[in-house]
Amino acid sequence: MERLTAEFFERSSVVDCARGLIGAKFLWHGCEARIVETEAYAAEGDEACHTFFRPGARAFVASHPAGTAYVYLNYGVHWLFNVLVHGPHGSGFVLFRALEPLAGIERMMERRGRSMVRELCSGPGKLTRALGIDGAAHGCEFLNGESTGIVTGASKAVTSSFRIGISRAQDLPWRFHEEANIHVSR
DNA sequence: TACGTGATTACC
DNA sequence: GTAATCACGTAA
């Protein structure tokens, strides 16, 4: 078990980072959860990535180091959590789509208002709510924080599939999840 | 299956 | 100023 550093998000492509994070442990202010579902968004050549239609996202990519949190509000309701990648052949984001709660579960239940563990983090908007992540985390270099970061973990059988909830570039198999894990999004 | 919700953006 | 678009969750 080792802490991931920014170097992890510099040495591989955004797609490999997304796949490689499955099974790792996400630490956030007293809560711990295994990453069981991610998606990759490439800053160049991916029409579903924010950089394709948002100048502000392009500016963010250009002005922050690898490993920075990119957090934004979606549909006016849900905060979504991404990690910035600066790979050898391009930049991008890894979206956290689902987690398997390990510690701090009581706190997650409080924030979610649900008591079933598999309802806590089984979606990108759910997991930010469960962990108390909001716009304050945007731009944060959380990897080496006092109480935030990512720790390597056993990667089990990882399946790739198409990304969810997007209208463009639907043909890229850039969603990754652990097989047969009940905590992935529905 | 319908719909609330608000930031960002492009275009007047 | 306006309108369109959205990497979603919930109840039903």
Side-chain angles (χ1 to χ4, degrees):
Chain A
M1 294 291 225
E2 280 177 44
R3 226 171 215 272
L4 258 58
T5 64
E7 195 257 343
F8 176 88
F9 297 96
E10 293 168 347
R11 118 190 125 208
S12 309
S13 71
V14 63
V15 172
D16 286 340
C17 285
R19 182 170 33 224
L21 282 172
I22 302 297
K25 200 194 293 183
F26 183 37
L27 315 176
W28 194 264
H29 298 294
C31 293
E32 299 183 15
R34 284 184 70 241
I35 300 167
V36 296
E37 179 179 349
T38 61
E39 281 177 358
Y41 289 87
E44 298 93 16
D46 176 7
E47 299 195 1
C49 188
H50 281 183
T51 52
F52 188 78
F53 55 93
R54 286 172 60 157
R58 291 195 288 274
F60 184 92
V61 170
S63 61
H64 291 81
T68 305
Y70 175 83
V71 181
Y72 75 100
L73 187 64
N74 193 36
Y75 291 99
V77 183
H78 310 290
W79 294 102
L80 270 58
F81 185 90
N82 300 254
V83 183
L84 176 61
V85 176
H86 287 306
H89 306 297
S91 301
F93 300 106
V94 175
L95 169 68
F96 286 12
R97 284 197 58 89
L99 308 172
E100 175 181 343
L102 296 177
I105 292 177
E106 287 294 320
R107 194 82 182 83
M108 296 186 202
M109 287 177 175
E110 285 172 22
R111 285 189 286 237
R112 285 278 293 127
R114 299 283 181 282
S115 55
M116 285 213 336
V117 174
R118 75 169 183 268
E119 296 272 311
L120 297 179
C121 297
S122 54
K126 295 180 190 178
L127 70 89
T128 54
R129 171 59 77 97
L131 297 183
I133 293 171
D134 61 16
H138 185 55
C140 176
E141 292 176 43
F142 70 100
L143 288 176
N144 287 307
E146 286 280 324
S147 48
T148 60
I150 301 177
V151 173
T152 57
S155 83
K156 310 208 170 167
V158 178
T159 301
S160 69
S161 53
F162 300 109
R163 296 180 293 186
I164 293 178
I166 57 172
S167 56
R168 287 175 298 210
Q170 293 170 322
D171 55 319
L172 299 172
W174 286 359
R175 170 178 178 244
F176 300 95
H177 65 93
E178 189 171 77
E179 230 172 285
N181 189 304
I182 62 169
H183 300 280
V184 303
S185 67
R186 121 198 117 76

PDB file of all heavy atoms in Angstrom, chain A residues 10-11 41 73 83 101 105 125 143 175:
ATOM      1  N   GLU A  10       1.011  11.607 -14.428  1.00  0.00           N
ATOM      2  CA  GLU A  10       1.869  12.184 -15.469  1.00  0.00           C
ATOM      3  C   GLU A  10       2.465  11.118 -16.370  1.00  0.00           C
ATOM      4  O   GLU A  10       2.841  11.382 -17.499  1.00  0.00           O
ATOM      5  CB  GLU A  10       3.032  12.966 -14.834  1.00  0.00           C
ATOM      6  CG  GLU A  10       2.580  14.212 -14.099  1.00  0.00           C
ATOM      7  CD  GLU A  10       3.697  14.803 -13.243  1.00  0.00           C
ATOM      8  OE1 GLU A  10       4.727  14.118 -13.021  1.00  0.00           O
ATOM      9  OE2 GLU A  10       3.528  15.957 -12.801  1.00  0.00           O
ATOM     10  N   ARG A  11       2.531   9.900 -15.842  1.00  0.00           N
ATOM     11  CA  ARG A  11       3.309   8.897 -16.572  1.00  0.00           C
ATOM     12  C   ARG A  11       2.433   8.087 -17.529  1.00  0.00           C
ATOM     13  O   ARG A  11       2.957   7.445 -18.442  1.00  0.00           O
ATOM     14  CB  ARG A  11       4.055   8.055 -15.550  1.00  0.00           C
ATOM     15  CG  ARG A  11       3.728   6.592 -15.488  1.00  0.00           C
ATOM     16  CD  ARG A  11       4.354   5.931 -14.283  1.00  0.00           C
ATOM     17  NE  ARG A  11       3.319   5.247 -13.507  1.00  0.00           N
ATOM     18  CZ  ARG A  11       3.368   5.033 -12.216  1.00  0.00           C
ATOM     19  NH1 ARG A  11       4.382   5.473 -11.512  1.00  0.00           N
ATOM     20  NH2 ARG A  11       2.397   4.399 -11.614  1.00  0.00           N
ATOM     21  N   TYR A  41     -11.792  11.217 -19.696  1.00  0.00           N
ATOM     22  CA  TYR A  41     -12.148  12.284 -20.637  1.00  0.00           C
ATOM     23  C   TYR A  41     -10.850  12.925 -21.119  1.00  0.00           C
ATOM     24  O   TYR A  41     -10.067  13.406 -20.305  1.00  0.00           O
ATOM     25  CB  TYR A  41     -13.066  13.326 -19.970  1.00  0.00           C
ATOM     26  CG  TYR A  41     -14.438  12.774 -19.716  1.00  0.00           C
ATOM     27  CD1 TYR A  41     -14.717  12.073 -18.550  1.00  0.00           C
ATOM     28  CD2 TYR A  41     -15.444  12.898 -20.671  1.00  0.00           C
ATOM     29  CE1 TYR A  41     -15.965  11.525 -18.329  1.00  0.00           C
ATOM     30  CE2 TYR A  41     -16.698  12.352 -20.461  1.00  0.00           C
ATOM     31  CZ  TYR A  41     -16.957  11.666 -19.295  1.00  0.00           C
ATOM     32  OH  TYR A  41     -18.195  11.119 -19.099  1.00  0.00           O
ATOM     33  N   LEU A  73     -20.384  21.630 -10.746  1.00  0.00           N
ATOM     34  CA  LEU A  73     -21.794  21.373 -10.441  1.00  0.00           C
ATOM     35  C   LEU A  73     -22.528  20.978 -11.709  1.00  0.00           C
ATOM     36  O   LEU A  73     -22.470  21.682 -12.714  1.00  0.00           O
ATOM     37  CB  LEU A  73     -22.419  22.633  -9.845  1.00  0.00           C
ATOM     38  CG  LEU A  73     -23.838  22.505  -9.303  1.00  0.00           C
ATOM     39  CD1 LEU A  73     -23.894  21.539  -8.125  1.00  0.00           C
ATOM     40  CD2 LEU A  73     -24.367  23.870  -8.909  1.00  0.00           C
ATOM     41  N   VAL A  83     -10.059  14.026 -11.453  1.00  0.00           N
ATOM     42  CA  VAL A  83      -8.640  14.290 -11.210  1.00  0.00           C
ATOM     43  C   VAL A  83      -7.993  14.663 -12.543  1.00  0.00           C
ATOM     44  O   VAL A  83      -8.215  13.993 -13.561  1.00  0.00           O
ATOM     45  CB  VAL A  83      -7.933  13.060 -10.614  1.00  0.00           C
ATOM     46  CG1 VAL A  83      -6.480  13.397 -10.294  1.00  0.00           C
ATOM     47  CG2 VAL A  83      -8.649  12.585  -9.357  1.00  0.00           C
ATOM     48  N   PRO A 101     -17.782   1.987  -0.035  1.00  0.00           N
ATOM     49  CA  PRO A 101     -17.464   2.563   1.276  1.00  0.00           C
ATOM     50  C   PRO A 101     -16.719   1.578   2.171  1.00  0.00           C
ATOM     51  O   PRO A 101     -17.084   0.407   2.255  1.00  0.00           O
ATOM     52  CB  PRO A 101     -18.851   2.884   1.866  1.00  0.00           C
ATOM     53  CG  PRO A 101     -19.751   3.014   0.683  1.00  0.00           C
ATOM     54  CD  PRO A 101     -19.233   2.012  -0.312  1.00  0.00           C
ATOM     55  N   ILE A 105     -18.513   5.278   7.389  1.00  0.00           N
ATOM     56  CA  ILE A 105     -19.794   4.949   6.766  1.00  0.00           C
ATOM     57  C   ILE A 105     -20.970   5.654   7.459  1.00  0.00           C
ATOM     58  O   ILE A 105     -21.908   6.101   6.803  1.00  0.00           O
ATOM     59  CB  ILE A 105     -19.974   3.412   6.732  1.00  0.00           C
ATOM     60  CG1 ILE A 105     -18.942   2.816   5.760  1.00  0.00           C
ATOM     61  CG2 ILE A 105     -21.393   3.032   6.319  1.00  0.00           C
ATOM     62  CD1 ILE A 105     -18.950   1.310   5.685  1.00  0.00           C
ATOM     63  N   GLY A 125     -22.678  11.669  -8.503  1.00  0.00           N
ATOM     64  CA  GLY A 125     -23.245  12.711  -7.660  1.00  0.00           C
ATOM     65  C   GLY A 125     -23.447  12.221  -6.233  1.00  0.00           C
ATOM     66  O   GLY A 125     -23.324  12.983  -5.279  1.00  0.00           O
ATOM     67  N   LEU A 143      -3.678  15.156  -3.290  1.00  0.00           N
ATOM     68  CA  LEU A 143      -2.990  13.859  -3.208  1.00  0.00           C
ATOM     69  C   LEU A 143      -2.107  13.718  -1.979  1.00  0.00           C
ATOM     70  O   LEU A 143      -1.971  12.624  -1.434  1.00  0.00           O
ATOM     71  CB  LEU A 143      -2.169  13.615  -4.480  1.00  0.00           C
ATOM     72  CG  LEU A 143      -2.987  13.314  -5.727  1.00  0.00           C
ATOM     73  CD1 LEU A 143      -2.072  13.192  -6.936  1.00  0.00           C
ATOM     74  CD2 LEU A 143      -3.837  12.060  -5.558  1.00  0.00           C
ATOM     75  N   ARG A 175     -15.169   3.850 -19.999  1.00  0.00           N
ATOM     76  CA  ARG A 175     -15.679   3.647 -18.636  1.00  0.00           C
ATOM     77  C   ARG A 175     -15.073   2.357 -18.112  1.00  0.00           C
ATOM     78  O   ARG A 175     -14.998   1.363 -18.851  1.00  0.00           O
ATOM     79  CB  ARG A 175     -17.209   3.541 -18.652  1.00  0.00           C
ATOM     80  CG  ARG A 175     -17.826   3.102 -17.329  1.00  0.00           C
ATOM     81  CD  ARG A 175     -19.355   3.067 -17.427  1.00  0.00           C
ATOM     82  NE  ARG A 175     -19.955   2.597 -16.195  1.00  0.00           N
ATOM     83  CZ  ARG A 175     -20.666   1.477 -16.086  1.00  0.00           C
ATOM     84  NH1 ARG A 175     -20.866   0.702 -17.141  1.00  0.00           N
ATOM     85  NH2 ARG A 175     -21.182   1.127 -14.941  1.00  0.00           N
TER      86      ARG A 175
END
